[in-house]
């Protein structure tokens, strides 16, 4: 028995030493660090304690199903009846509620839990721990600086008074279903200046130590917003809820449609693939029909000859500006196809300067296209090679 008692005493001394070290670190942090960064002092401290904290605001309204703890501090506007019912459901299903404030706007929330804020004639600067119901028996905090102007009275409901004076309670707690709620009659305890006091810092640390590790905390300071009470965005409200805004939307939409459709040719768009390019014969026929009315068949013949020489020169890398005989000799040296002197005869026909009939012109054009197929001359590839 003596060995067990010594072991327990040793463990208690170790726990006390660890708690003292953590408390000293928290106090030094609160006293020396710069708390002017992002978020309030309470928000920064909760983040330092490794909790997942979400600031409830108009841009990020409350999502109770995602929180383990709902922390309401210094609210200056009363929650609605629907919001209070949702908060009660949150606590009764296992959530933790912490309410700190002395604003009369919280009367409805206090009343929902059978509590009432009573104004005091003299401020309670320091609230003493009620020894009968210590919240933290291992590391009790004897007093906290609340600076409370109100006391909490229980109306037909059993509560545990944690801190206060002889007759006035400033911090109480109660069970509700599977969860627990804490009510503090002052928001000074968790303010930046209030958290610099050793007792207040220790109380916050002890209070947070009752929560699960990495608990999700929804923190609302000054205002509590939900989706129902979230104020509309001023810009959206102006644009869609005023005649001027709706008129601006109509004008912008009209201009957008105008510029999009401006100059557009309606109809089925053509496929950009090579398969939809027109054949050379179709081009020749179209040119023939174009020049027919002007009786310019010799010009058409000259045009066919020039294009044919250019394609032949590109196919066998010969200068098309050479005279016909030299051009044919160069083609022969390059291995151009000239079976039965077909190419030579065709070039001779193309060099004719006399006026020919449309039937004769069409026959020459067809012979040119036939030679293209035999010699495998692809005008599309040749045009791409020339950069057309």
């Amino acid at each position: 028995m003596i060995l067990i008692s010594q072991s327990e005493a040793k463990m208690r001394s170790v726990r006390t030493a660890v708690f003292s070290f953590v408390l000293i670190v928290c106090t030094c942090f609160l006293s020396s660090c710069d708390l002017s960064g992002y978020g309030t002092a309470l928000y920064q401290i909760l983040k330092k304690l490794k909790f997942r904290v979400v600031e409830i605001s108009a841009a990020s309204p409350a999502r109770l199903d995602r929180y383990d703890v709902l922390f309401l501090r210094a609210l200056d506007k009363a929650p609605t009846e629907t919001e209070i019912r949702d908060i009660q459901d949150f606590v009764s299903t296992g959530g933790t509620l912490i309410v700190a404030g002395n604003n009369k706007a919280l009367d409805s929330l206090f009343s929902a839990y059978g509590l009432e804020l009573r104004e005091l004639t003299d401020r309670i600067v320091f609230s003493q721990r009620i020894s009968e119901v210590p919240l933290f028996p291992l590391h009790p905090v004897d007093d906290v600086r609340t600076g409370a102007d109100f006391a909490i009275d229980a109306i037909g409901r059993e509560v545990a008074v944690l801190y206060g004076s002889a007759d006035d309670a400033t911090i109480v707690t109660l069970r509700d279903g599977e969860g627990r709620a804490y009510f503090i009659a002052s928001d000074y305890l968790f303010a930046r200046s209030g958290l610099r006091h050793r007792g207040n810092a220790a109380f916050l640390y002890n209070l947070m130590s009752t929560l699960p590790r990495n608990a999700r905390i929804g923190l609302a300071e000054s205002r509590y917003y939900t989706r129902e009470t979230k104020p509309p965005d001023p810009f959206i409200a102006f644009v869609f809820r005023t005649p001027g805004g709706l008129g601006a939307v109509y004008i912008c939409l009209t201009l957008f449609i105008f510029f999009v459709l401006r100059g557009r040719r309606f109809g089925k768009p053509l496929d950009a693939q090579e398969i939809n390019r027109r054949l050379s014969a179709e081009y020749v026929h179209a040119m023939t029909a174009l020049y027919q009315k002007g009786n310019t068949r010799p010009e058409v013949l000259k045009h066919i000859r020039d294009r044919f020489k250019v394609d032949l020169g590109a196919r066998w890398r010969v200068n098309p500006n050479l005279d016909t005989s030299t051009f044919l000799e160069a083609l022969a040296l390059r291995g151009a196809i000239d079976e039965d002197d077909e190419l030579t005869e065709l070039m001779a026909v193309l060099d004719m300067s006399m006026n020919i009939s449309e039937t004769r012109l069409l026959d020459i054009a067809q012979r040119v296209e036939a030679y293209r197929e035999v010699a495998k001359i692809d005008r599309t590839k040749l045009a791409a090679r020339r950069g057309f």
Side-chain angles (χ1 to χ4, degrees), residues 149-207:
D149 295 319
F150 291 82
I152 302 175
D153 293 334
I155 305 174
R157 179 145 191 177
E158 183 179 353
V159 299
V161 180
L162 304 180
Y163 288 86
S165 62
D167 301 320
D168 301 312
T170 56
I171 302 178
V172 301
T173 183
L174 56 89
R175 298 287 303 183
D176 185 35
E178 299 179 6
R180 176 174 289 275
Y182 297 90
F183 289 89
I184 304 167
S186 173
D187 58 75
Y188 174 78
L189 192 150
F190 300 124
R192 179 178 302 173
S193 57
L195 286 171
R196 296 186 187 275
H197 294 279
R198 179 185 179 91
N200 293 5
F203 175 79
L204 176 61
Y205 174 80
N206 287 337
L207 183 60

Side-chain angles (χ1 to χ4, degrees), residues 298-311:
E299 295 296 329
V300 175
L301 181 65
K302 182 177 180 298
H303 176 77
I304 295 174
R305 181 193 63 197
D306 293 340
R307 296 302 303 170
F308 187 47
K309 288 185 68 176
V310 169
D311 293 342

Side-chain angles (χ1 to χ4, degrees), residues 80-132:
T80 64
E81 294 182 1
T82 302
E83 291 172 341
I84 292 176
R85 286 196 299 268
D86 292 340
I87 292 174
Q88 288 179 298
D89 293 338
F90 167 75
V91 176
S92 63
T93 54
T96 300
L97 172 66
I98 303 174
V99 181
N102 54 4
N103 196 314
K104 281 295 185 180
L106 295 173
D107 281 348
S108 57
L109 184 58
F110 275 76
S111 299
Y113 285 93
L115 305 176
E116 183 180 31
L117 281 173
R118 172 170 50 85
E119 190 170 1
L120 301 172
T121 55
D122 297 322
R123 169 177 289 187
I124 302 177
V125 180
F126 288 94
S127 298
Q128 306 300 319
R129 178 174 61 86
I130 307 302
S131 58
E132 289 79 2

Side-chain angles (χ1 to χ4, degrees), residues 12 23 46 51 63 69 74 124 176 183 212 252 271 282 289 333:
R12 289 181 180 178
L23 182 58
L46 294 177
F51 291 109
R63 298 288 297 272
V69 182
I124 302 177
D176 185 35
F183 289 89
C252 292
D271 192 353
E282 294 178 342
L333 293 176

Side-chain angles (χ1 to χ4, degrees), residues 20-261:
S20 301
F21 174 75
V22 174
L23 182 58
I24 291 172
V25 172
C26 291
T27 304
C28 293
F29 169 77
L30 292 170
S31 301
S32 60
C33 71
D34 181 15
L35 297 179
S36 59
Y38 173 76
T40 63
L42 180 59
Y43 173 86
Q44 294 183 49
I45 294 170
L46 294 177
K47 294 289 286 186
K48 289 288 183 180
L49 294 176
K50 305 302 181 183
F51 291 109
R52 292 176 289 175
V53 187
V54 177
E55 283 192 305
I56 298 174
S57 61
S60 179
R63 298 288 297 272
L64 295 181
D65 57 333
R66 297 185 178 182
Y67 307 147
D68 300 309
V69 182
L70 179 62
F71 205 136
L72 307 179
R73 175 185 168 271
L75 299 187
D76 56 13
K77 184 178 181 180
T80 64
E81 294 182 1
T82 302
E83 291 172 341
I84 292 176
R85 286 196 299 268
D86 292 340
I87 292 174
Q88 288 179 298
D89 293 338
F90 167 75
V91 176
S92 63
T93 54
T96 300
L97 172 66
I98 303 174
V99 181
N102 54 4
N103 196 314
K104 281 295 185 180
L106 295 173
D107 281 348
S108 57
L109 184 58
F110 275 76
S111 299
Y113 285 93
L115 305 176
E116 183 180 31
L117 281 173
R118 172 170 50 85
E119 190 170 1
L120 301 172
T121 55
D122 297 322
R123 169 177 289 187
I124 302 177
V125 180
F126 288 94
S127 298
Q128 306 300 319
R129 178 174 61 86
I130 307 302
S131 58
E132 289 79 2
V133 283
L135 179 61
F136 312 108
L138 293 179
H139 309 293
V141 179
D142 292 331
D143 58 71
V144 294
R145 185 160 186 166
T146 53
D149 295 319
F150 291 82
I152 302 175
D153 293 334
I155 305 174
R157 179 145 191 177
E158 183 179 353
V159 299
V161 180
L162 304 180
Y163 288 86
S165 62
D167 301 320
D168 301 312
T170 56
I171 302 178
V172 301
T173 183
L174 56 89
R175 298 287 303 183
D176 185 35
E178 299 179 6
R180 176 174 289 275
Y182 297 90
F183 289 89
I184 304 167
S186 173
D187 58 75
Y188 174 78
L189 192 150
F190 300 124
R192 179 178 302 173
S193 57
L195 286 171
R196 296 186 187 275
H197 294 279
R198 179 185 179 91
N200 293 5
F203 175 79
L204 176 61
Y205 174 80
N206 287 337
L207 183 60
M208 294 297 105
S209 67
T210 63
L211 304 177
R213 188 174 183 179
N214 295 327
R216 299 166 297 179
I217 301 178
L219 176 63
E221 299 188 81
S222 299
R223 294 291 297 275
Y224 176 67
Y225 292 99
T226 59
R227 289 185 175 182
E228 290 74 18
T229 58
K230 175 184 176 181
D233 185 89
F235 176 76
I236 295 178
F238 169 77
V239 171
F240 295 101
R241 298 184 182 181
T242 61
L246 292 174
V249 171
Y250 175 77
I251 293 174
C252 292
L253 183 60
T254 304
L255 290 175
F256 173 76
I257 295 175
F258 170 75
F259 285 116
V260 168
L261 300 181

Side-chain angles (χ1 to χ4, degrees), residues 1-13:
M1 295 297 294
I2 296 176
L3 293 176
I4 294 176
S5 300
Q6 289 178 350
S7 177
E8 290 180 352
K10 185 176 180 179
M11 290 297 297
R12 289 181 180 178
S13 62

